[in-house]
Amino acid sequence: MIGGNSLSAASITKNLGTRFIGQSVIYYPSLTSTNEVAKQKAQQGAVEGTVILADEQTAGRGRLKRVWLSPRGNIALSIILYPNMAHLPSIIMLASLAVVHSIKAVAGLNSQIKWPNDVLINGRKVCGILIESDVQGNTVNYTIIGIGINVNLKLADFAEVPPDATSLTDELGRDVPRPSLIRCLLVEIERLYSVLSTGGSVYEDWRDSLVTLGRKVRVNTGEAIYEGVAESVTRDGGLLLRNMDGGVTRVVAGDVTLHD
Ligand code: BT5
């Protein structure tokens, strides 16, 4: 039932207005990690746009082997792509934009992107995105877009979820139909992916949706900690930080704490 809340492959694929993203959906009531299974399917040559969808993940993961909690009621899905090398840096941009656009369209809520891979509502994390690629030389064997969104959960019921998180239910005071949100997300991802393949760019929209720019930030790259003002982002997704001493540092990945 498309208008309902329960997930199935048909609840996503039925009359989905895309050419290839989400035309094949493999649904699991419970799974370790949709990214893990998506990788296996990609290695077996799954068709581009195949979606791995789970109602619940038991070993969902974030970057750097961190844990991503996704109990039932969440959205946890992964999309298999075979992009050109030149488009690789834009995949995180289009995935984050698609999340922002679909949360607005289906739940009516404004959200912002926090560099590099979070989506926030009112400063709280509602979605995390994990892009994993297999690259050999100049060839991308596959890229997996993993998206986790806190949808119909009251996060107060989940002590393990960090206090700076939120869910669509917590923000709205009511549930959101997950199939509608997923369908909208897949349509948006295909639309933005087509922008890339027809020579366009998603960079400007992404940059303008970042909550990070202009803010005082602390960036932990795992190897170093930088503090300064987030001045801009580069077309390949890097963050340019104006340091206290006036110099500029380019950071490619890290955890950002926003200061006021
Ligand atoms: C992320 O990592 O935010 C990427 C999360 C990607 C999850 C999706 S779900 C579908 C696909 N399959 C997977 O196995 N993964 C992807 P990172 O920036 O490293 O953030 C991880 C941190 O977010 C954790 O260390 C916690 O502090 C926090 N966290 C964990 N679960 C959360 C949740 N449900 N909501 C908000 N924050 C959470």
Side-chain angles (χ1 to χ4, degrees), residues 58-81:
T58 54
R61 55 173 198 249
R63 293 173 300 152
L64 306 170
K65 302 204 168 109
R66 285 189 287 231
V67 171
W68 178 260
L69 296 155
S70 50
R72 197 155 279 134
N74 250 343
I75 286 176
L77 61 79
S78 300
I79 304 165
I80 299 171
L81 296 179

Side-chain angles (χ1 to χ4, degrees), residues 43-54:
Q43 282 158 357
Q44 294 158 8
V47 63
E48 182 163 49
T50 297
V51 171
I52 310 299
L53 175 66

Side-chain angles (χ1 to χ4, degrees), residues 58-244:
T58 54
R61 55 173 198 249
R63 293 173 300 152
L64 306 170
K65 302 204 168 109
R66 285 189 287 231
V67 171
W68 178 260
L69 296 155
S70 50
R72 197 155 279 134
N74 250 343
I75 286 176
L77 61 79
S78 300
I79 304 165
I80 299 171
L81 296 179
Y82 303 109
N84 291 334
M85 188 72 174
H87 294 153
L88 208 49
S90 305
I91 302 296
I92 182 69
M93 304 179 193
L94 74 84
S96 341
L97 279 171
V99 169
V100 169
H101 294 166
S102 41
I103 288 178
K104 180 68 182 176
V106 177
L109 292 167
N110 290 324
S111 57
Q112 296 82 34
I113 303 168
K114 182 178 150 216
W115 186 92
N117 69 320
D118 295 345
V119 177
L120 311 182
I121 297 180
N122 296 323
R124 293 171 182 272
K125 183 162 173 173
V126 71
C127 165
I129 301 171
L130 178 66
I131 311 285
E132 295 184 295
S133 299
D134 184 39
V135 177
Q136 266 176 320
N138 272 333
T139 309
V140 182
N141 290 331
Y142 61 79
T143 290
I144 310 294
I145 302 180
I147 299 177
I149 309 178
N150 298 325
V151 186
N152 299 327
L153 303 170
K154 290 199 174 67
L155 291 183
D157 297 341
F158 298 92
E160 326 82 86
V161 177
D164 60 351
T166 192
S167 71
L168 297 183
T169 293
D170 281 345
E171 295 297 323
L172 272 183
R174 63 175 163 81
D175 281 358
V176 171
R178 285 183 299 166
S180 307
L181 185 56
I182 294 169
R183 289 161 63 86
C184 188
L185 184 60
L186 299 176
V187 168
E188 268 304 282
I189 287 182
E190 182 165 295
R191 187 180 71 77
L192 295 168
Y193 194 47
S194 316
V195 168
L196 294 184
S197 47
T198 52
S201 160
V202 295
Y203 162 76
E204 289 80 5
D205 276 356
W206 172 72
R207 180 196 59 201
D208 295 345
S209 303
L210 286 169
V211 71
T212 321
L213 298 189
R215 301 278 293 269
K216 271 177 92 176
V217 298
R218 184 171 194 268
V219 186
N220 186 346
T221 66
E223 277 150 19
I225 292 176
Y226 300 98
E227 284 192 315
V229 175
E231 197 161 85
S232 60
V233 277
T234 54
R235 297 192 83 85
D236 63 0
L239 178 69
L240 296 180
L241 206 63
R242 176 72 61 182
N243 308 323
M244 301 306 180

